[in-house]
Amino acid sequence: MASGKAGLAEQSSPTPEAGHGSPGPSVALLPLRDTFPPEISLSFSVESRSSRCRNSQLQEAARKKLWALGSDDRGVCALFKELSARLVCTQAHEDRFLLTFKTLEEVWKFSTYLTLGYVGSCLEQLLFAQEFWLDCALVEDTELRVTMDEEHLATIYMDLLLQEGNFFSRAVPGAWKSEQEGEEGLQLCRNELIHVKSVGQDSRWEGMSLLTGQRGVVPMPALQPIAQPFYQWFLKNYAVSFGVSQEVSGTSSQAIVKGRCMATKDHRGATWDELSFSKGDPIEIIGFFIPGLPWFVGKSLSTGSIGFVPTQHVNPEACEPLGKGFVFLSEEEKSPVLHVPCNGDEQHFVTLLGELAHTDITSVYRLAGFEPTAAFPQVPPEAAPHGSKEIQVLQSWEEINDWATSSTSELSSPGSETAPATLEDVLLDKLDDLDYPKFFIDLNAGHMDDADVFDPMLTFLNQDSFVPSFQSFYDLSFSFLHSTFYGFSDEDELVLYLETSRNWAKRTRSVWAHVRLCFLLGKLCIKKVKLSQARVYFEEAMSVLDRGFGDLPLLAALHVSLASIYLKQNMKHKFSSLLGKTVTLLVCLPGRSFSWENELELLMYILRESIAVGNAPLEARVCFLIVQLFLQLGRTEEVLPFLEHLQCLSITWLGPGTRSGPLDAAATLGYLYDKKCLPNLALASVRSFVPGSTKGTPTPIWRAGFILQNAPKLLGKQLDRSSMPAVACLYLKQALQSCCDSRAVPMQRTLCAVLSRMFLQHGLLHGAVCYAARAAALGRLLGEEEAFESSLSLGWLHLLQQQPGLARAILQGMASKTQGGAVHNLLAMALSGEGRIQEAAENFLRALHKAKEMGSRRNQAVALANLGQLSLSCGATQLAELYLLWAVRLFAELQGHQELDMELAQVLLWLAQAMVDRQRMEDAKLCYELALGFGLKWQNLRSQLHVTERLCHFYSRVCPDLQACITYHEHWASLARQLQDRELEGNARQALSQLYQALGTPEALRQSLDCTKQCLRIFIDLEEAARAAEAWLQAGKLYYLLQEDELVEMYFQAGIQTALKGDNFSLAMDLYEKAGDTFFNGSRDRARAVEFYRGGAVPLARKLKATQTELRLFNKLAELQISLQGYEKALEFATLAARLSLRVGDQLQELVAFHRLATAYDLLHMYEMAEDCYLKTLALRPPVLQSSAEALYYCKLYWHLGNLTLHKLKDEQDASSYFLLALAAATELGDQELQALLRAKLGAIPRAPGAPEGTPGCATDRPRWLSEGGHVV
């Protein structure tokens, strides 16, 4: 699903040149830190396989998740530590990580994981939400690709090599001048392998040729370091005492082949074991033909003879490759390597899946609408993009009914899926039961001299061909000690007996018996680490043997054991003479048993040879054998580098049209990573494994079980029935499909139940119902118990999905057949959902009585709680309180289990609501806080979040308490952070900021500012520009309240610029206005509001044609200028506001505008204009007073007009008229004090009437344009 690309990946083609690493401009022996920085970026891209382009929606989701995690997140750091890289920082906005490496091993390991595709898979596990993994079609179509600068990575690697000053390189002939080749100079051949060490000089290094063993000084231009880190590691850690033998060549680029070939020239064998043939003779290859080896084992089809054949004397073009691409093993050899991770785990995972599928729904009641292990969030759009569809999970009913008529044997159990299917399989399984001959060891002195005593054993051992009973002679475990011989007390007795037998074999000239006895004696010497004595026995056997191809395992074991001893004892000449044919017998015979642990040293030597000459097919074959031997020896720590290298080679050599390489060892790698506590790599490896049909290899069930069990380890947890990882969903479905193909119905039902539970836990009820329906159909094929359990589970899921009708249809039929309380409890919920309250109550009561009969206090508590919730929904709060309190008492007696406590928490929430409805707030508080306590007790974050949200609402709306509200909002934000829900955390922090601001103290304002800044970081990370802009503005307001004025405008401008960058002019206009409001409503620097109103908001309002906003802004500007005594500017703004108010047509806005205009005229001593504008405002009011507030406005305004005309315009008649109108308004208000003041005013004016009845009207000739209907301001 994931892929990667790196410069230090394994060789790209199996050619000899690939092993050499051809020189290029990026490989230079100079420190390159000045060219490239020590950090390197790892970029990722989420792509669709089908469309072959980026999936922008998932890319955005991954980016947001990365932002949420942040560079300092322990999970991200732990992941890259596991990948052998050091995280410098995350750069989420550029979809990349910045990494660095400090050691060669880190570069080697990371580049290996990159080549294997594990880096991308690990990032998928890190960055994709749980809901993504539940959409199997999307998962299969999605690929997270990672890329890294190849040249940069190679530079880092070379730089680290130079710092270490000890590495392997190849010679570049002609790269230095002849005068440099002095006495101490090293003579080198083209591509010769050299071990180089620093001598403290930049231009000259000390080198040792691996071909000749000679040492000397090598000039730097002559060196081309080996670019593959695995080779550097291997050559350093598995050194030998003498150099390359030159028995193996690397000139061929052909694949390993089998079949027949033609002789190209005549050949007469120099020794008995070499085949003689003529040109044109057809020769059948025994085992494999590996290019570059000097020999292969062949059979002449004209004579029937078998022997060693020189590879240079035949033409292998007509031979058949082992498979597509460069295959290096037979099909039969795959199973032992891949069987390792199974190792009995198949049945373990079958049992595990059965436990996960088990449900207690038939015996334990459910709370109405409450599933403690499930969450029902809305799936975020980024997690489940539109257009991706879930694969249809239900099979056709016709197919299921078809199975109902199948034979019982077809409805197999899980264990029968791996049972032998053919006669051959049965015979192979019974192989261990065969009665092989056994020989009693009798050391009686009389018997030791009697040839007849040894005759049966000599006859058995003298057979001229291999028989299965000889196999125990050649294995690693020395099993012949028990399977062939018995009756001896210690091995010394057996040695004595075998020595005597060997002497009798010599006397009777039983050649094969003599050879086999020498071999057995040699093995016993090896067991006691007497290598020299073993060598004597093996050499004796080789000298006697003159026709060994009848028993190829014996011939191979003799050659390999003897060569291993020569290598161990540093006998170079003898080792070289034997090596050519030994290599052939060791690597070209598929299925050969290892006979000695020290064969590892021989294999390491041959691998060294293949690397030195660049023979890629031989390298892969030997690496495979090393892996096989390590695994047989149980040395899992040491096998990992070789298995990783082998897997890299397999992936690199994918043939056209093939899905996997010649050996998909990903399952074994996952098993080994798990043993090394590397959970991310273990999961990535097993996810990439494709189960095959080879017997004994991991199955889809093994893979699904492994992923289920190991995925929780990414979070440092163990697998729990209440939290199954969604990443296993695809692999469970593939296991289900595999079981469908094999018609294993019980396992299908188990997998459907597990999948249903998984979808339920992640809140996807539709998928849960689909799988539950399939499980119910399968359950009906298996028996009544399975059918009952599966149908009840299906009914419960329909209830959770708010489908009471479907649930009732299932449950009513079950209720008629059984009187089980669990059925009545669920049926009552279905009836309640359909509004049939009376019937629902009756069924809850039946369930309660059944629970009492059974003595189940838990079920009694649940039934009572359900009755309480039913009463609460009907408004019967007193009855609800009674039932719920009874339920709480019963639950309190049962505490101690998480599921019970979570149910109690839910009942307490219902009880709290009942208390609120009855206005018992203190009791409601107690219930809410107790519910939260249970969530805290079990560290259940979802439960805590649910209760905390209720508490926040309670303390903010129902029973306001600012301090308590702050406390619970703090906890809400903390929970959102732990759940890694950045959007939820942002909302919580934003609400918290407002609460702290409401406190108003300097400390609280600081807390509010801190919350706002946290919100700002979150909104920036989530790319929510509008909310980020609002947060910038809020921070500026808080700095103003804290009197840190130097930062206020900076934050205001940052918010405004954020809005303008996104071309959100409407938001920018609002921010300009809000920024101005901060100064306008403040007590300091009020004049600074003008620049935000006039310079920012007004132009944008005109651009957006937001007339209402423009009018509001001019009204604020007029008011501001009046307060600042800028009366001429106030008049300008008031005039503009009045004009706009006429255009808007809103009488209230028009009244405000003309009142401010009148005030501006008044302050500028333009009294007649002021009077006219005041009268205009009065003309805008209805003739009949609407409220006391309106009467007060009339009173104050007429009083002001009276004063204006009396004192400024000197018009006593008009003044008395205005005072009379003010008096009329005061009378309407009933304010006696105000009336007395107005009568005093009137009394002070000569000729003024004394009462409203005598009001004369206005009698002056002043022009009143506006108040008399004019519209031009």
Side-chain angles (χ1 to χ4, degrees):
M1 209 178 115
S3 64
K5 186 178 183 182
L8 290 181
E10 303 295 339
Q11 55 202 53
S12 59
S13 62
T15 61
E17 290 77 8
H20 297 161
S22 54
S26 64
V27 181
L29 263 179
L30 288 171
L32 298 174
R33 287 186 181 273
D34 296 336
T35 309
F36 290 102
E39 297 84 14
I40 185 169
S41 66
L42 177 76
S43 302
F44 67 89
S45 172
V46 184
E47 299 180 5
S48 166
R49 295 180 188 276
S50 55
S51 62
R52 296 184 180 179
C53 61
R54 176 177 287 200
N55 185 326
S56 56
Q57 210 163 4
L58 276 178
Q59 183 80 26
E60 182 64 23
R63 185 182 300 127
K64 286 186 177 180
K65 181 65 180 292
L66 183 55
W67 271 322
L69 293 170
S71 306
D72 58 344
D73 183 82
R74 286 178 295 177
V76 184
C77 295
L79 170 61
F80 281 102
K81 183 179 180 182
E82 192 172 320
L83 293 171
S84 295
R86 299 168 191 244
L87 179 67
V88 177
C89 67
T90 58
Q91 296 177 335
H93 60 289
E94 296 183 15
D95 300 330
R96 67 179 186 179
F97 303 88
L98 208 59
L99 310 175
T100 189
F101 304 95
K102 299 296 183 185
T103 66
L104 288 168
E105 185 177 1
E106 288 178 352
V107 180
W108 165 38
K109 289 292 184 184
F110 185 81
S111 60
T112 299
Y113 302 144
L114 206 55
T115 301
L116 294 174
Y118 297 164
V119 175
S121 292
C122 288
L123 289 179
E124 288 172 353
Q125 292 153 198
L126 176 75
L127 298 177
F128 289 157
Q130 293 286 303
E131 291 78 10
F132 162 81
W133 299 103
L134 297 171
D135 189 341
C136 297
L138 182 62
V139 172
E140 289 186 303
D141 186 55
T142 301
E143 181 177 20
L144 189 146
R145 291 185 175 274
V146 292
T147 53
M148 184 174 271
D149 186 339
E150 298 180 8
E151 188 177 355
H152 191 173
L153 187 60
T155 300
I156 292 174
Y157 172 68
M158 290 298 169
D159 199 32
L160 290 170
L161 267 183
L162 290 174
Q163 287 181 49
E164 191 174 275
N166 178 7
F167 56 89
F168 289 84
S169 180
R170 292 196 182 275
V172 183
W176 66 95
K177 298 179 181 179
S178 57
E179 59 263 21
Q180 289 176 309
E181 300 174 14
E183 186 177 325
E184 60 176 348
L186 191 62
Q187 302 299 315
L188 300 172
C189 302
R190 176 180 177 79
N191 285 329
E192 187 176 335
L193 206 56
I194 319 160
H195 185 195
V196 180
K197 291 184 180 179
S198 172
V199 291
Q201 298 181 26
D202 291 339
S203 59
R204 297 167 74 80
W205 295 65
E206 179 188 332
M208 183 191 78
S209 169
L210 267 64
L211 178 62
T212 63
Q214 294 180 350
R215 297 177 181 271
V217 176
V218 183
M220 189 166 59
L223 302 177
Q224 180 196 329
I226 294 177
Q228 286 79 11
F230 171 81
Y231 295 160
Q232 293 282 359
W233 170 83
F234 172 76
L235 292 170
K236 286 177 190 174
N237 286 275
Y238 292 91
V240 292
S241 54
F242 44 87
V244 177
S245 68
Q246 294 185 295
E247 286 287 336
V248 178
S249 66
T251 57
S252 173
S253 61
Q254 299 175 0
I256 300 175
V257 295
K258 60 182 179 179
R260 297 179 180 179
C261 56
M262 297 294 290
T264 56
K265 59 172 67 176
D266 296 341
H267 177 73
R268 292 293 169 263
T271 58
W272 69 267
D273 58 356
E274 294 182 15
L275 187 65
S276 297
F277 51 83
S278 302
K279 181 178 180 180
D281 282 355
I283 299 174
E284 183 179 352
I285 298 169
I286 306 296
F288 300 150
F289 178 103
I290 300 181
L293 292 187
W295 305 94
F296 70 95
V297 179
K299 178 180 180 180
S300 173
L301 295 179
S302 56
T303 64
S305 301
I306 299 176
F308 289 107
V309 181
T311 55
Q312 294 180 346
H313 292 177
V314 298
N315 181 5
E317 289 182 3
C319 294
E320 173 191 353
L322 297 186
K324 293 182 179 179
F326 280 74
V327 182
F328 46 81
L329 75 166
S330 66
E331 195 67 28
E332 295 75 22
E333 289 179 301
K334 291 183 182 180
S335 179
V337 174
L338 300 183
H339 186 69
V340 171
C342 287
N343 204 17
D345 284 347
E346 178 86 14
Q347 188 56 47
H348 164 73
F349 288 130
V350 168
T351 305
L352 174 68
L353 289 166
E355 291 171 357
L356 293 174
H358 174 71
T359 176
D360 58 5
I361 197 166
T362 58
S363 58
V364 178
Y365 293 2
R366 296 293 188 261
L367 273 179
F370 178 71
E371 175 65 41
T373 63
F376 305 110
Q378 292 297 316
V379 178
E382 65 268 20
H386 298 295
S388 90
K389 295 182 179 177
E390 179 64 24
I391 301 173
Q392 182 64 32
V393 296
L394 285 176
Q395 287 180 305
S396 66
W397 289 106
E398 292 78 4
E399 186 176 350
I400 291 176
N401 290 330
D402 230 7
W403 289 347
T405 60
S406 302
S407 66
T408 310
S409 62
E410 287 182 315
L411 305 180
S412 57
S413 64
S416 67
E417 294 164 42
T418 56
T422 66
L423 179 62
E424 181 187 2
D425 292 331
V426 174
L427 291 175
L428 287 172
D429 283 352
K430 298 295 183 184
L431 192 61
D432 293 337
D433 299 333
L434 294 177
D435 188 17
Y436 290 139
K438 292 187 177 182
F439 301 97
F440 179 73
I441 305 303
D442 186 359
L443 297 179
N444 185 288
H447 290 168
M448 295 293 280
D449 297 329
D450 187 355
D452 293 338
V453 172
F454 297 96
D455 188 59
M457 187 175 73
L458 293 178
T459 302
F460 169 68
L461 293 176
N462 204 43
Q463 298 178 73
D464 60 359
S465 61
F466 175 80
V467 293
S469 53
F470 291 160
Q471 185 60 46
S472 63
F473 298 169
Y474 313 129
D475 60 27
L476 277 170
S477 60
F478 294 85
S479 59
F480 68 89
L481 293 173
H482 310 289
S483 63
T484 307
F485 305 103
Y486 70 99
F488 56 94
S489 58
D490 57 41
E491 290 178 11
D492 288 338
E493 292 183 2
L494 179 60
V495 169
L496 178 59
Y497 188 81
L498 292 177
E499 280 280 9
T500 308
S501 302
R502 167 172 156 269
N503 293 333
W504 281 110
K506 283 182 181 180
R507 292 180 196 176
T508 58
R509 297 190 179 181
S510 302
V511 175
W512 282 102
H514 184 187
V515 171
R516 289 190 176 102
L517 285 164
C518 285
F519 176 74
L520 292 176
L521 286 162
K523 280 207 74 171
L524 289 170
C525 290
I526 285 174
K527 193 168 187 287
K528 296 181 177 181
V529 200
K530 296 179 178 179
L531 299 188
S532 296
Q533 184 63 39
R535 188 185 76 239
V536 172
Y537 282 123
F538 290 146
E539 287 176 341
E540 180 181 331
M542 291 285 284
S543 65
V544 173
L545 194 62
D546 59 0
R547 50 187 185 282
F549 287 94
D551 189 349
L552 260 179
L554 173 63
L555 186 66
L558 274 171
H559 276 78
V560 171
S561 299
L562 193 53
S564 299
I565 292 175
Y566 289 153
L567 182 61
K568 188 79 173 175
Q569 296 187 334
N570 201 18
M571 304 176 75
K572 182 175 181 180
H573 179 72
K574 287 187 174 183
F575 176 75
S576 300
S577 64
L578 193 62
L579 180 63
K581 292 174 181 176
T582 301
V583 172
T584 299
L585 293 170
L586 181 61
V587 304
C588 293
L589 300 179
R592 189 192 75 84
S593 297
F594 298 106
S595 58
W596 185 26
E597 183 176 346
N598 274 23
E599 288 183 29
L600 264 175
E601 293 186 19
L602 182 57
L603 286 168
M604 296 298 181
Y605 180 86
I606 301 169
L607 180 57
R608 190 182 182 90
E609 291 252 322
S610 65
I611 292 172
V613 300
N615 189 325
L618 177 62
E619 175 193 338
R621 177 70 185 166
V622 175
C623 197
F624 167 73
L625 294 173
I626 290 171
V627 166
Q628 205 173 17
L629 183 50
F630 267 134
L631 290 175
Q632 285 187 31
L633 294 170
R635 292 160 63 176
T636 53
E637 286 288 328
E638 297 168 83
V639 74
L640 198 53
F642 297 94
L643 190 57
E644 286 173 339
H645 181 61
L646 192 63
Q647 186 74 350
C648 286
L649 295 175
S650 295
I651 290 173
T652 306
W653 293 347
L654 285 178
T658 55
R659 292 181 61 190
S660 59
L663 176 70
D664 185 3
T668 310
L669 280 171
Y671 168 78
L672 296 173
Y673 289 138
D674 184 40
K675 289 195 70 173
K676 289 193 70 176
C677 299
L678 300 171
N680 286 283
L681 286 169
L683 202 60
S685 182
V686 173
R687 281 179 50 218
S688 69
F689 174 66
V690 180
S693 56
T694 306
K695 184 188 173 187
T697 58
T699 65
I701 289 177
W702 179 88
R703 179 177 63 172
F706 184 95
I707 292 170
L708 260 178
Q709 183 171 275
N710 284 273
K713 294 179 183 178
L714 301 184
L715 303 174
K717 300 177 181 177
Q718 295 297 320
L719 179 61
D720 182 4
R721 291 180 71 248
S722 63
S723 58
M724 286 189 282
V727 69
C729 183
L730 172 65
Y731 309 99
L732 286 167
K733 288 190 70 174
Q734 291 174 349
L736 177 59
Q737 184 58 51
S738 173
C739 291
C740 289
D741 295 341
S742 62
R743 294 198 171 187
V745 175
M747 197 63 205
Q748 286 183 66
R749 177 179 170 273
T750 297
L751 288 166
C752 285
V754 172
L755 282 162
S756 178
R757 179 178 288 273
M758 179 178 288
F759 276 90
L760 172 63
Q761 287 177 4
H762 291 91
L764 299 182
L765 288 170
H766 176 70
V769 168
C770 288
Y771 281 111
R774 184 168 176 179
L778 293 164
R780 287 193 286 273
L781 301 178
L782 296 172
E784 289 186 8
E785 184 179 343
E786 292 85 352
F788 180 72
E789 180 183 297
S790 300
S791 298
L792 211 56
S793 297
L794 178 59
W796 171 234
L797 288 172
H798 279 308
L799 287 171
L800 292 176
Q801 204 179 16
Q802 306 295 317
Q803 295 177 331
L806 293 174
R808 181 178 51 78
I810 295 170
L811 296 166
Q812 272 185 334
M814 298 174 70
S816 64
K817 297 177 184 177
T818 177
Q819 292 301 310
V823 178
H824 287 296
N825 184 57
L826 295 182
L827 180 58
M829 295 181 205
L831 292 167
S832 173
E834 292 183 315
R836 296 159 66 174
I837 304 300
Q838 185 63 37
E839 293 176 71
E842 290 171 3
N843 276 278
F844 277 137
L845 288 170
R846 289 193 189 101
L848 178 60
H849 292 316
K850 286 289 179 185
K852 286 181 178 178
E853 287 176 12
M854 300 298 293
S856 172
R857 299 181 73 80
R858 176 180 180 177
N859 286 348
Q860 290 177 54
V862 172
L864 286 166
N866 285 336
L867 279 166
Q869 195 273 338
L870 182 66
S871 303
L872 190 63
S873 67
C874 298
T877 54
Q878 188 171 357
L879 185 60
E881 181 185 340
L882 179 67
Y883 281 128
L884 292 169
L885 279 172
W886 195 357
V888 167
R889 290 192 192 101
L890 287 172
F891 270 121
E893 296 173 9
L894 301 168
Q895 286 183 47
H897 188 274
Q898 182 175 1
E899 193 169 333
L900 283 168
D901 284 351
M902 292 304 100
E903 288 178 346
L904 175 53
Q906 180 61 40
V907 175
L908 285 167
L909 289 179
W910 290 341
L911 183 57
Q913 185 58 51
M915 297 299 182
V916 168
D917 291 347
R918 301 193 67 199
Q919 299 299 308
R920 291 166 56 183
M921 299 305 171
E922 290 301 318
D923 291 338
K925 287 179 188 178
L926 178 62
C927 292
Y928 279 131
E929 289 168 0
L930 277 173
L932 179 60
F934 286 115
L936 290 166
K937 173 184 175 181
W938 295 103
Q939 298 180 351
N940 188 316
L941 298 181
R942 288 288 176 190
S943 173
Q944 290 180 57
L945 182 66
H946 181 55
V947 180
T948 303
E949 286 172 344
R950 296 283 192 92
L951 278 163
C952 289
H953 177 265
F954 178 79
Y955 282 114
S956 61
R957 302 287 178 85
V958 181
C959 184
D961 183 334
L962 189 56
Q963 198 59 55
C965 199
I966 288 173
T967 300
Y968 288 110
H969 272 82
E970 286 278 14
H971 188 55
W972 184 22
S974 170
L975 290 170
R977 184 168 184 80
Q978 290 178 67
L979 289 166
Q980 296 184 346
D981 189 333
R982 297 284 275 175
E983 188 168 359
L984 182 63
E985 185 185 354
N987 294 336
R989 297 279 180 203
Q990 200 169 34
L992 196 55
S993 174
Q994 298 295 331
L995 292 170
Y996 276 122
Q997 187 177 348
L999 280 177
T1001 64
E1003 295 79 9
L1005 290 174
R1006 283 283 170 201
Q1007 293 277 13
S1008 177
L1009 180 62
D1010 184 54
C1011 289
T1012 300
K1013 287 184 175 180
Q1014 290 182 58
C1015 288
L1016 179 58
R1017 282 193 291 271
I1018 290 169
F1019 296 146
I1020 291 172
D1021 288 347
L1022 295 177
E1023 289 190 323
E1024 294 188 12
R1027 300 187 73 182
E1030 293 277 7
W1032 282 112
L1033 188 81
Q1034 177 65 14
K1037 288 181 181 178
L1038 291 166
Y1039 275 121
Y1040 181 82
L1041 294 173
L1042 290 165
Q1043 300 186 17
E1044 296 183 19
D1045 296 340
E1046 65 278 3
L1047 295 172
V1048 174
E1049 186 155 353
M1050 182 183 78
Y1051 275 82
F1052 283 167
Q1053 290 298 338
I1056 292 164
Q1057 291 305 314
T1058 300
L1060 291 173
K1061 280 180 185 176
D1063 293 335
N1064 193 339
F1065 297 116
S1066 177
L1067 176 63
M1069 178 183 70
D1070 291 342
L1071 296 178
Y1072 269 121
E1073 184 177 3
K1074 289 176 181 177
D1077 288 347
T1078 302
F1079 294 107
F1080 180 80
N1081 297 320
S1083 57
R1084 306 183 320 278
D1085 300 328
R1086 296 191 71 218
R1088 292 177 64 185
V1090 175
E1091 61 185 277
F1092 290 99
Y1093 288 154
R1094 189 71 180 92
V1098 169
L1100 286 172
R1102 287 176 175 171
K1103 180 176 182 176
L1104 297 170
K1105 297 182 178 178
T1107 311
Q1108 288 276 13
T1109 303
E1110 189 180 357
L1111 171 59
R1112 185 172 62 250
L1113 288 166
F1114 281 130
N1115 276 326
K1116 289 179 182 179
L1117 282 164
E1119 179 70 24
L1120 180 63
Q1121 291 297 343
I1122 288 170
S1123 67
L1124 296 173
Q1125 299 182 356
Y1127 301 134
E1128 290 185 359
K1129 286 189 176 181
L1131 178 61
E1132 176 190 345
F1133 293 133
T1135 304
L1136 289 169
R1139 288 174 180 169
L1140 282 170
S1141 69
L1142 292 171
R1143 197 187 315 165
V1144 169
D1146 184 332
Q1147 280 200 348
L1148 181 60
Q1149 293 280 1
E1150 196 175 341
L1151 184 149
V1152 171
F1154 276 99
H1155 187 97
R1156 284 212 174 91
L1157 182 59
T1159 304
Y1161 280 129
D1162 195 353
L1163 292 168
L1164 286 168
H1165 310 301
M1166 300 170 68
Y1167 301 121
E1168 291 183 0
M1169 293 298 294
E1171 180 192 18
D1172 195 17
C1173 288
Y1174 282 135
L1175 291 173
K1176 172 68 175 177
T1177 62
L1178 291 168
L1180 291 170
R1181 305 308 300 162
V1184 180
L1185 295 177
Q1186 303 295 315
S1187 65
S1188 58
E1190 193 171 2
L1192 182 61
Y1193 176 73
Y1194 269 84
C1195 181
K1196 287 184 176 181
L1197 189 54
Y1198 278 124
W1199 190 339
H1200 183 70
L1201 279 168
N1203 286 326
L1204 179 71
T1205 52
L1206 178 64
H1207 300 295
K1208 304 298 181 184
L1209 297 176
K1210 309 298 182 182
D1211 188 335
E1212 294 179 352
Q1213 187 176 357
D1214 276 2
S1216 61
S1217 299
Y1218 291 138
F1219 284 134
L1220 283 170
L1221 289 168
L1223 181 60
T1227 303
E1228 184 72 22
L1229 281 169
D1231 190 330
Q1232 297 297 329
E1233 185 180 352
L1234 195 57
Q1235 292 177 44
L1237 289 171
L1238 286 165
R1239 285 195 177 96
K1241 280 277 185 184
L1242 284 168
I1245 301 173
R1247 294 174 296 160
E1253 291 81 1
T1255 302
C1258 295
T1260 64
D1261 296 326
R1262 290 189 303 280
R1264 293 183 176 86
W1265 173 248
L1266 289 170
S1267 56
E1268 292 176 359
H1271 295 290
V1272 178
V1273 180

